[in-house]
């Protein structure tokens, strides 16, 4: 009898359990757009609204992609998340620069205090290393980049099971819009090159890749927006599964006005759920939440 019990316990210890990751992407529109409610929000207000949205789902948040964030709020967001979740967090932020190399500044907060540069950010629960990968960008407007967080695997043994957290690579970005002030040439060629480069830097052998953000393109089967943009994002659907993909159709619910511009990609077959928070009106973009299984 004792032998059977020992064999059962040994089997449980050896069996990995499914590890899930909760991911959110949100263009918070706080830096320079006066039409948004978080415009000129202070660091504490900004961190609290981002954190509350990340915690609004039942699963604990693990990765947060942010666009039109401000570098001055990076430390405040990290501290807010740590205090509210009881876990350590690491936030990597990259500030945009103009064609002249100067920081693309966020407008001051409502009390006139500086908030740093408008930025993209990736927040990760736990320890991570960060890389910033420049992306092709029009020389007359702001520079673009992807921020990638690399989280190394950890092993936790319990009486019931051995939990192996796979190595994760999470890359977030905000691409050119194709507007007259930005990637204004026919077909927005810089955005196409940005997507090609993003696909290259996001993948890393041995890692489970999560990639997303405000890509400023319409989905391939959406039937709206630039045809060049729809073609340019199609390779991501071949390599990954998109959070809000509708069956075989490469489309999804709107995230800004009447279009889908915000994306979360994960390994094929791993997306467990997707939610677009349409009730949120703090920004001109809707937060997108994804639950992804990191192993079967």
């Amino acid at each position: 009898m004792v032998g059977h019990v020992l064999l059962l316990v040994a089997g449980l210890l050896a069996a990995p359990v499914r590890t899930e990751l909760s991911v959110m992407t949100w263009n918070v529109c706080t830096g320079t757009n006066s039409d948004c409610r978080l415009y000129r929000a202070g660091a504490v207000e900004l961190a609290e609204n981002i954190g509350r949205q990340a915690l609004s789902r039942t699963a604990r948040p693990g990765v947060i992609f942010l666009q039109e964030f401000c570098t001055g709020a990076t430390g405040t967001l990290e501290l807010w998340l740590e205090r509210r979740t009881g876990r350590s967090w690491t936030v990597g932020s990259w500030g945009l620069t103009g064609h002249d190399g100067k920081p693309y500044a966020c407008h001051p907060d409502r009390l006139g205090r500086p908030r740093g540069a408008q930025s993209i950010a990736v927040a990760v629960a736990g320890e991570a290393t960060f890389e910033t990968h420049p992306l092709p960008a029009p020389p007359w407007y702001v520079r673009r980049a992807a921020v990638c967080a690399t989280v190394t695997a950890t092993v936790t043994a319990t009486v019931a099971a051995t939990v192996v957290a796979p190595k994760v690579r999470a890359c977030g970005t905000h691409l050119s819009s194709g507007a007259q002030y930005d990637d204004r040439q026919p077909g927005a060629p810089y955005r196409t090159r940005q997507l090609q480069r993003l696909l290259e830097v996001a993948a890393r052998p041995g890692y489970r890749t999560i990639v997303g953000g405000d890509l400023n393109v319409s989905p391939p089967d959406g039937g709206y927006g630039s045809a060049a943009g729809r073609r340019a994002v199609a390779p991501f659907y071949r390599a990954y599964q998109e959070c809000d993909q509708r069956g075989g159709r490469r489309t999804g619910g709107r995230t800004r006005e009447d279009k889908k511009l915000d994306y979360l990609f994960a390994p094929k077959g791993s997306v467990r759920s997707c939610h677009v928070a349409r009730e949120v009106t703090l920004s001109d973009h809707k937060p997108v939440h994804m639950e992804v299984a990191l192993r079967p």
Side-chain angles (χ1 to χ4, degrees):
M1 181 66 178
V2 172
H4 288 298
V5 172
L6 289 175
L7 286 172
L8 177 62
V9 171
L12 288 170
L13 286 170
V17 299
R18 191 172 77 181
T19 303
E20 292 196 354
L21 182 69
S22 177
V23 185
M24 181 182 83
T25 185
W26 190 16
N27 181 326
V28 294
C29 189
T30 191
T32 58
N33 187 346
S34 60
D35 291 335
C36 295
R37 290 173 58 191
L38 288 176
Y39 171 64
R40 298 186 67 183
V44 173
E45 179 187 356
L46 186 56
E48 182 171 1
N49 277 286
I50 292 168
R52 288 187 183 280
Q53 184 55 222
L55 293 172
S56 66
R57 309 299 294 166
T58 54
R60 296 195 307 172
V63 173
I64 302 170
F65 296 135
L66 299 172
Q67 306 87 46
E68 295 190 32
F69 184 60
C70 294
T71 54
T74 302
T76 305
L77 175 62
E78 187 173 286
L79 183 61
W80 193 100
L81 290 167
E82 289 180 340
R83 287 179 174 175
R84 291 303 180 97
T85 65
R87 294 185 289 166
S88 65
W89 280 77
T90 312
V91 182
S93 179
W94 176 80
L96 280 68
T97 59
H99 66 279
D100 56 0
K102 296 180 180 178
Y104 186 68
C106 285
H107 292 175
D109 71 11
R110 297 186 189 98
L111 298 178
R113 296 172 296 193
R115 297 188 297 156
Q118 184 162 292
S119 67
I120 55 174
V122 179
V124 177
E127 297 299 319
T129 58
F130 293 88
E131 306 162 8
T132 299
H133 295 273
L135 302 177
W140 55 82
Y141 195 52
V142 297
R143 302 291 182 258
R144 301 287 179 175
V147 173
C148 292
T150 301
V151 185
T152 305
T154 59
V155 179
T156 303
T158 69
V159 174
T162 298
V163 180
V164 181
K167 295 183 289 186
V168 173
R169 184 166 172 82
C171 296
T173 192
H174 185 187
L175 302 186
S176 294
S177 67
Q180 281 300 309
Y181 59 83
D182 193 352
D183 192 2
R184 56 181 175 244
Q185 295 170 302
Y190 282 99
R191 185 179 53 201
T192 297
R193 295 171 201 162
Q194 289 163 10
L195 284 162
Q196 292 169 345
R197 181 60 180 155
L198 178 63
L199 196 63
E200 294 170 358
V201 302
R204 176 168 291 182
Y207 285 78
R208 304 280 279 179
T209 295
I210 309 293
V211 58
D214 179 358
L215 303 188
N216 263 320
V217 292
S218 302
D221 300 327
Y224 56 86
S226 162
R230 297 199 303 270
R231 288 193 301 270
V233 76
F236 281 84
Y237 285 83
R238 291 195 288 271
Y240 301 100
Q241 179 182 356
E242 206 281 315
C243 168
D244 203 21
Q245 190 170 347
R246 306 299 175 88
R249 282 181 55 78
R250 300 163 300 173
T251 185
R254 60 181 178 84
T255 62
R256 185 182 186 273
E257 297 175 347
D258 60 346
K259 297 178 181 178
K260 175 178 176 61
L261 299 179
D262 304 87
Y263 295 78
L264 287 172
F265 290 97
K268 286 184 179 293
S270 66
V271 176
R272 295 292 177 256
S273 67
C274 187
H275 174 72
V276 179
R278 294 185 177 87
E279 72 281 1
V280 177
T281 59
L282 293 168
S283 167
D284 58 348
H285 287 252
K286 306 300 182 183
V288 182
H289 298 263
M290 174 176 69
E291 303 298 328
V292 58
L294 294 180
R295 64 172 61 257

